[in-house]
Structure formats: structure tokens, C-alpha cells
């Protein structure tokens, strides 16, 4: 089920990219315009198209991707699937100092506050890594913690 934010992001990316295609096709189809003007418009337009493509891809990643946590005796692997995106990592189990859950309450845009949970790792070097976020129930976070703690 898609969230309202995902639907809005998809609609925005379609409208943004569609507007740019319409604008550029109307500017460059008119052969009577000055070539210097067309070139001056081309550079910002390419940058806007690149921005639109990045936004569209990010929206697809947001909606389609799932985080996969794999573990073996030596490491934890956090992967994004099926589309490549930032945040994939591998953490040696020996570097984990602490595993804990946090509760988040977001009441900015909703009538009822949205409560989610995250599982985090504190490493021996002092860094804190987000392992899983957006979990809807505390039981989900506890299950992940328990699975990681297993030898």
C-alpha cells in the first residue's frame, strides 16, 4: 500500500518531468529562435532534467526498495534491493558494542502522531548506525535485536 507521501512524490515527478519535456520541445521546435538563446536555455534545462531524473529514481527507490538484513557468524550485512541505493553496509559482529531500539513520534503533519521504531547499533569506535527504521511495532524491533544477539 502506497503512502500519501509516495503518491504525492510520484505525481510531482511526473508533472515536473512532463512540464520540462513540454517546455523544451516547444522551445527547440521553433527554428526561428536565436541559436544563442537556445544554447543558453539548454544548460539549465539539462540540469533541471537531471534533477527530475534523480527525484524520479529516488521516489522509485523509496516505494520499491526493501532493506534486507543478513547475518552470519562474523558479519551483519544490510542491503537495499532491488534498486541500488546508498546505505548498504557490512558490519563485523566484533565491532558491535550495543544494540538498541528507539521510539520515534512524528506529530507534525498528522492528527494522530505516527509512532515508529528503529533498531540502532553502537560500534566500538563510538559511531551509531541505523540498522532498521520505520518499524510499526515494538515487537518488530525486539525481534531484530534478539536475532542479532544470537551467537
Amino acid at each position: 500500500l502506497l503512502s500519501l507521501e509516495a503518491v504525492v512524490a510520484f505525481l510531482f515527478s511526473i508533472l515536473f518531468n512532463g512540464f520540462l519535456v513540454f517546455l523544451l520541445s516547444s522551445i527547440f521546435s521553433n527554428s526561428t529562435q536565436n541559436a544563442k538563446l537556445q544554447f543558453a536555455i539548454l544548460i539549465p534545462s539539462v540540469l533541471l532534467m537531471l534533477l527530475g531524473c534523480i527525484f524520479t529514481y529516488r521516489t522509485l527507490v523509496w516505494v520499491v526498495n526493501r532493506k534486507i538484513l543478513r547475518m552470519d557468524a562474523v558479519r551483519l550485512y544490510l542491503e537495499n534491493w532491488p534498486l541500488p541505493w546508498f546505505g548498504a553496509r557490512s558490519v563485523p559482529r566484533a565491532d558491535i558494542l550495543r544494540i538498541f531500539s528507539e521510539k520515534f513520534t512524528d506529530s507534525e503533519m498528522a492528527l494522530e502522531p505516527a509512532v515508529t521504531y528503529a533498531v540502532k547499533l553502537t560500534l566500538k569506535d563510538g559511531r551509531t548506525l541505523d540498522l532498521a527504521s520505520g518499524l510499526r511495532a515494538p515487537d518488530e524491533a525486539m525481534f531484530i535485536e534478539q536475532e542479532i544477539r544470537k551467537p
Side-chain angles (χ1 to χ4, degrees), residues 38-53:
Q38 286 182 342
F39 183 73
I41 292 172
L42 180 65
I43 293 173
S45 300
V46 168
L47 292 175
L48 285 173
M49 288 294 278
L50 181 63
L51 181 67
C53 290

Side-chain angles (χ1 to χ4, degrees), residues 31-65:
S31 60
T32 61
Q33 283 189 335
N34 187 347
K36 289 181 181 179
L37 176 63
Q38 286 182 342
F39 183 73
I41 292 172
L42 180 65
I43 293 173
S45 300
V46 168
L47 292 175
L48 285 173
M49 288 294 278
L50 181 63
L51 181 67
C53 290
I54 290 170
F55 186 78
T56 302
Y57 184 76
R58 177 60 188 117
T59 303
L60 281 172
V61 165
W62 181 26
V63 172
V64 173
N65 263 18

Side-chain angles (χ1 to χ4, degrees), residues 56-131:
T56 302
Y57 184 76
R58 177 60 188 117
T59 303
L60 281 172
V61 165
W62 181 26
V63 172
V64 173
N65 263 18
R66 300 292 173 252
K67 288 189 177 188
I68 299 171
L69 177 63
R70 293 185 304 116
M71 298 174 277
D72 60 25
V74 180
R75 301 183 86 75
L76 296 177
Y77 303 94
L78 185 63
E79 302 166 346
N80 296 307
W81 186 84
L83 301 172
W85 192 250
F86 303 105
R89 61 180 62 119
S90 170
V91 179
R93 282 183 177 250
D95 289 353
I96 298 172
L97 183 64
R98 181 176 159 226
I99 305 163
F100 63 99
S101 298
E102 279 188 355
K103 179 180 177 180
F104 293 95
T105 305
D106 182 16
S107 59
E108 287 182 21
M109 304 270 303
L111 296 175
E112 285 187 39
V115 176
T116 59
Y117 300 86
V119 178
K120 298 186 176 204
L121 302 176
T122 302
L123 303 180
K124 289 181 180 176
D125 64 6
R127 291 183 299 148
T128 300
L129 299 178
D130 291 332
L131 195 59

